[in-house]
Structures are given as C-alpha cells and as structure tokens.
Amino acid sequence: MTAKNWIVLLAIIVVASVIGIVFMLALSWFPEQGSNVAPEIDTFWDVLVIVSVPIFVAVTTVMLFSIWRWRQRPGEEDLDGPPIHGSTKLEVIWTIIPTIIIAALTTYAAILLVDIQAAPAKGTRVVNVNGVQFAWDFETQTADGPVKTAKLYLPINEPVKFNVRSKDVIHDFWVPAFRLKVDAVPGITTSYNLTPTKLGTFDVVCAELCGLGHAYMRQTVTVLTAERYATMMAKLTKASGTPVAAAGGDGIGEQLFVAGNPATGATACGACHTLAAAGTTGVTGPNLDKELKADNASAADIMEMIVDPNKEIAKGYSKGIMPANYATTMTKAELDALTKYIYESVQGKG
Ligand code: HEC
Ligand SMILES: [Cu+2]
C-alpha cells in the first residue's frame, strides 16, 4: 500500500461517513414524542447513529478496497498467496477500540436509564397493565377504587407508573410514542414510569412474540386534558361493574360485537370477524356470514363457539387466536344477547 492509497481510502471513509450520518439523522425513525423521556431517548439514538455509521462505512470500505486491490488475477488460480501469520499489533488495536466504544455507550445507556427511571414521587397515579393472549387490559387506581378498561386513558403532564403483569405467556407493553417498554412476565410485576406530554391517541402494542394472535394485540392510549380525563374516569367508574346488558335493552348484541366491553376487557369480535349486519370486516377469523350459514349453526352452537373456541377449530384456522375468556369477560345476559344477535343476523338473510 502506498501513502496515496491510504489517503484515498481515508478520504472515502470520511466523506461516506458524513453523508451516511446526515442521511441517517434526516430520516424520521420514531413516531411523535409523546412523553417526557422521549427527547432524551431520541438523543441517545442519534448518538448511536453517529458512532455506528463511521464503523460500518470503514469496515465496508476496507473490505471492498481489499477485494479490488488483492483480487485474484488471471494465471494466479493455483497460487497459495503469501504466508501471513497474523499481526498481534493489529489484533490488539481492533480489540481495544471496540471495547472502549461499547463500554462508553453502555455507560451512557445505564446512566440514562437510571436517570429517567428514578423512583416516582409518592402519590403518582398507578395503572395496572395486564397482558393476556391477545389483548391488554388496564386497571387505573382511583379514589373510588380500580377502573378496568380495554382502552387506556391518561391525563396530560401528570406522572404515571405502569405495573405490568401477564396472565399467560411473556408479552411486552410498549407505547412507541412514549418510547419506553418492558416485558410482561408471568409471575412477576415489572414497571416503568413517565409523564405523557402530548394530547392525542397513540398505539399500544405488544413487542414480544406471544403466539399466533401477537400481531393483533394492538390497542390505544388516549391522553386527555385534566378536566376531560376526570369526566372520562367518572363515566368509566360508573360503567365498570355495571354489565353493558343491564344498562340498555336492544342493540347490546351489536355493541358487544363491534366494540367489545371496555369495562371488562372483552375484546371486540368485529376486530377479527366479518359480519355484514354489524358492518365489520375483520379477516383474522372466519367470515361469520358465510361459515355459520354453511354450518347451519344454531344459537346454542354459536354460544359454544364463543365461550369455548378451542373445542372445535374452524377449518383453515389455528387454535389459540380467538380469546378463550369470553365466559368471564361477559355476563350470561350479554352472551345471550350477543348470540341471539349473531344468530339472527346470519339466519335472517335469504
Ligand atoms: C383475536 C381474534 C378474534 C376475536 C377477537 C374473536 N374471534 Fe372468533 N374466531 C377467531 C378465529 C381465529 C377463529 C377460528 C379458530 C377457532 O375456531 O377457534 C374464530 C372462530 C369463531 C367462531 C366459529 C366459526 C366457525 O366457522 O366455526 C365463531 C362463531 C366466533 N369465532 C365468534 C366470535 C365472537 C362472537 C367473538 C366476540 C365475542 C369473537 N369470535 C372474537 C378469532 C377471533
Ligand atoms: Cu403479546
């Protein structure tokens, strides 16, 4: 290698690194910042990008240069190449440099985590988050007792602590806009705390492959002003404990099918099933108009399919995707209304 070669190589690495860093920082990687910790985590990401790009560029450039410079030429097919026995000096260098980089980044990450997860102030609002295949339910502690919902509500600019648990397998509670996430592990309680800083509705997802319905384990969190939050909690406190069926007469079956029951954590059927009468178009489970009509299913059959979905698996579908907890998340009256509604919707047509 001549000195000129070295200079050209170095110039390529510097220029490509600058272009790479500018490009990577210009991309928008994350959703909008929805919590107090989001800016610091995004800064951490930027630092990782700035450190990683030059390493990637340097390794790739040296590799491509070596392939070009020392490639096999015609007539060299049978040669062994020069006998090289390694270089202790090089090996020491390429062990020490990465060790320093990794140690520095790990220290930064650890300090950042300790900093943003300092113990929450006394009196911080607590929300119990429970994962189950394949839905989250939320239990907000209020002065009037716990309020259970399928949708999470939080007031803006007020710290909240999530206590995360699982009823079956490992899930992972993640609100990308808030940036933090933690595994929900059966048998233990994990937690994190933060302060929502942006009004609006954000995705809540499961970030741990937890079974066939993992991809559908998506809900939302709505961040409200303090007044609207108080109104919403008062409404939900009234609703929770009162079965939906007891609250109104007609339309309950359809309401349960389309929206489930947020108060008890009953997942909406329409999220996974198509039913023309309800106007739902889910495709995770069988098309109920078609299948129930083809089976000539009675109301009793339908009831059984709802409370014990794993007893008989519809052809072409897998066990364990449809929630098996409807017997506990719905009252008998609700199940009757829902079954009757589905039966009449399917049989009523043609
Ligand atoms: C997470 C997705 C999901 C949800 C939510 C869901 N189901 Fe299902 N459902 C499925 C899947 C997948 C199957 C097929 C596998 C099976 O039979 O268990 C199924 C099967 C069925 C069947 C049997 C269909 C047939 O052809 O045999 C009925 C009836 C049914 N569901 C009704 C409901 C009702 C009513 C609700 C709401 C109370 C509901 N489902 C909620 C995914 C879901
Ligand atoms: Cu999950």
Side-chain angles (χ1 to χ4, degrees), residues 312-326:
E312 232 177 276
I313 304 301
K315 220 174 132 208
Y317 294 88
S318 303
K319 196 178 153 125
I321 295 182
M322 175 153 160
N325 63 352
Y326 285 116

Side-chain angles (χ1 to χ4, degrees), residues 268-269 272-273 286 291 305-306 309 312-314 317 322-323 326 342:
C269 321
C272 295
H273 290 288
E291 295 305 326
M305 294 172 191
I306 298 172
E312 232 177 276
I313 304 301
Y317 294 88
M322 175 153 160
Y326 285 116
I342 296 174

Side-chain angles (χ1 to χ4, degrees), residues 134 213 216 256-257 267-273 284-288 291-292 295 301-302 305-306 309-315 317-323 326 330 335 338 342:
F134 295 99
Y216 305 100
L256 285 168
F257 193 92
T267 321
C269 321
C272 295
H273 290 288
T284 308
N287 177 321
L288 296 182
E291 295 305 326
L292 296 180
D295 295 352
D301 294 339
I302 296 175
M305 294 172 191
I306 298 172
N310 292 329
K311 190 167 167 197
E312 232 177 276
I313 304 301
K315 220 174 132 208
Y317 294 88
S318 303
K319 196 178 153 125
I321 295 182
M322 175 153 160
Y326 285 116
M330 289 190 195
L335 284 167
L338 175 65
I342 296 174

Side-chain angles (χ1 to χ4, degrees), residues 131-136 168-172 205-211 213-214 217:
V132 59
Q133 288 172 318
F134 295 99
W136 298 106
D168 40 41
V169 301
I170 301 179
H171 302 276
D172 191 296
V205 302
C206 176
E208 180 70 46
L209 187 56
C210 58
H214 167 68
M217 201 165 159

